[in-house]
Amino acid sequence: MKKTSSPDTQTIQPDCSHRRLSRRTFLALNGAGAFTLLSAHGLVLEPRSIVTETLSLPMKKLRAGQELNLVHISDLHIEKFSAYHQDVIRRVNTPQADVILITGDFIGEERNLAAVRNFLRQLKASHGIFAVQGNWEYWGRVEGKNLQRAFSNWGIELLINQRRDIHIDDLPLSIAGLDYPSATDALNTLHRRMDPARLNLLMSHVPAFEHHLLDDRIDLVLAGHTHGGQIRLPLLPPPHLPRFSDPFVDGLYHVGPGIPLYVTRGVGTSVLPLRLFCPPEITRMTLHGSSGSFHSLPSEIVSQVRGQASKLVHK
């Protein structure tokens, strides 16, 4: 307290300076505490708090009651194999999917292919695991035929501007892999080879490419690359997206003549080991037939259409 006096009286006035300092200190401590908690969440918790997103999409080429179960992962960026990656494997494998699709960026700055091998060899799908390369494989100079051979030894089919045809029961399925950076010439060549009578899935590491070149031969496009922005603030766009991303961030879009494009947030992180309001993701998709499906037509008409389509493709 401060004392003030006059010849006749003496009064005591309160000194509020310590109260103002305490208020400032209180606000500063609260701000520092909130920042510390947010940083801890972004650095420690959220990058390892993977979620499973589920999606159900109708497909005209599937008959009513027919289903195809897919798991889509991307952007592993494995520096060192850890308990987190073991948890991802468990979640991907349970329940077992018909097909697993991986859209690139397996390595991190350490180019730890041994850790990538440890991860990939534990994945299981009833009808195969397919992948494409990402920009980090090119930056790390591990891309191409050597990586393709290594992946084959690990039980993964790495598609480099290639198509793989499989049958799941009576479903003719084609999986195409468009290599980074999804160049127009490669897209045109791959697209021309797609059989419209088959269910055709297209994998691309990057989501932004020449979608207007696609037609209804392609039934679904899967991509990664964006990490969903990795650091997000509520109600605001991501502060940064890598090249060949914009305007796609994460989730389901429709491109070209209405083809569904799904962009996953990915499993890992890059540049900064940080995620904020943007958790890593495993995507489970069920593709199913609908009442307006191609296979709801009489079987003889379906056979005729398939025959004509195959002639067009092979001309």
Side-chain angles (χ1 to χ4, degrees):
M1 308 288 281
K2 290 182 179 178
K3 293 182 179 181
T4 60
S5 60
S6 68
D8 300 313
T9 62
Q10 184 175 0
T11 60
I12 299 176
Q13 295 180 345
D15 181 4
C16 296
S17 61
H18 73 286
R19 194 174 301 165
R20 287 195 299 271
L21 179 63
S22 296
R23 190 178 297 117
R24 262 190 241 109
T25 303
F26 175 78
L27 292 174
L29 288 173
N30 274 272
F35 178 77
T36 301
L37 288 173
L38 204 58
S39 298
H41 179 81
L43 284 167
V44 179
L45 297 178
E46 191 164 328
R48 297 294 180 262
S49 300
I50 195 157
V51 299
T52 300
E53 304 287 2
T54 59
L55 190 67
S56 180
L57 291 174
M59 292 283 138
K60 290 182 178 180
K61 294 178 186 175
L62 297 182
R63 66 175 181 271
Q66 192 173 27
E67 287 188 351
L68 177 66
N69 295 302
L70 311 174
V71 168
H72 176 209
I73 58 175
S74 191
D75 300 273
L76 304 175
H77 293 291
I78 301 177
E79 298 287 6
K80 182 180 178 181
F81 190 84
S82 67
Y84 169 67
H85 297 106
Q86 199 66 59
D87 182 49
V88 172
I89 291 166
R90 179 184 61 80
R91 291 169 181 261
V92 167
N93 287 347
T94 311
Q96 190 172 116
D98 294 319
V99 173
I100 296 174
L101 303 171
I102 313 175
T103 48
D105 275 7
F106 298 86
I107 64 169
E109 292 182 0
E110 299 297 323
R111 297 189 296 179
N112 191 346
L113 284 175
V116 173
R117 177 188 62 201
N118 193 9
F119 182 92
L120 294 180
R121 291 180 73 170
Q122 296 185 62
L123 299 179
K124 299 184 185 303
S126 58
H127 290 84
I129 305 170
F130 304 89
V132 292
Q133 301 177 120
N135 51 295
W136 277 74
E137 280 68 68
Y138 278 90
W139 291 351
R141 297 186 176 182
V142 300
E143 84 288 352
K145 294 297 183 182
N146 288 336
L147 189 64
Q148 195 172 48
R149 282 190 289 270
F151 272 39
S152 179
N153 291 334
W154 305 341
I156 313 297
E157 187 154 359
L158 183 64
L159 301 173
I160 304 176
N161 295 322
Q162 294 167 304
R163 184 186 92 186
R164 177 76 165 105
D165 294 342
I166 61 176
H167 275 79
I168 299 179
D169 298 325
D170 60 346
L171 170 64
L173 173 65
S174 292
I175 300 168
L178 185 59
D179 198 39
Y180 177 83
S182 300
T184 300
D185 288 348
L187 175 62
N188 275 326
T189 301
L190 194 58
H191 186 243
R192 281 197 302 269
R193 295 173 181 167
M194 304 306 287
D195 183 345
R198 303 178 69 88
L199 185 70
N200 294 308
L201 312 182
L202 176 64
M203 293 188 293
S204 168
H205 177 61
V206 300
F209 57 90
E210 302 293 334
H211 305 118
H212 67 274
L213 298 175
L214 302 177
D215 59 26
D216 56 8
R217 277 177 282 191
I218 304 298
D219 300 289
L220 174 64
V221 182
L222 299 174
H225 187 55
T226 68
H227 298 201
Q230 200 167 297
I231 299 172
R232 302 288 298 272
L233 295 176
L235 305 178
L236 293 176
H240 172 73
L241 286 172
R243 188 182 179 197
F244 305 122
S245 297
D246 193 60
F248 307 103
V249 181
D250 71 306
L252 182 64
Y253 301 85
H254 287 84
V255 296
I259 301 167
L261 160 67
Y262 191 86
V263 184
T264 177
R265 296 186 299 272
V267 170
T269 61
S270 64
V271 184
L272 295 173
L274 177 70
R275 279 187 181 270
L276 193 59
F277 303 115
C278 187
E281 171 185 357
I282 296 166
T283 314
R284 284 192 172 272
M285 294 187 177
T286 300
L287 310 185
H288 60 87
S290 62
S291 58
S293 70
F294 176 68
H295 287 280
S296 65
L297 296 171
S299 58
E300 62 273 14
I301 297 179
V302 171
S303 298
Q304 290 175 11
V305 172
R306 277 184 172 167
Q308 291 299 321
S310 295
K311 288 178 183 178
L312 289 172
V313 169
H314 296 295
K315 275 186 177 180

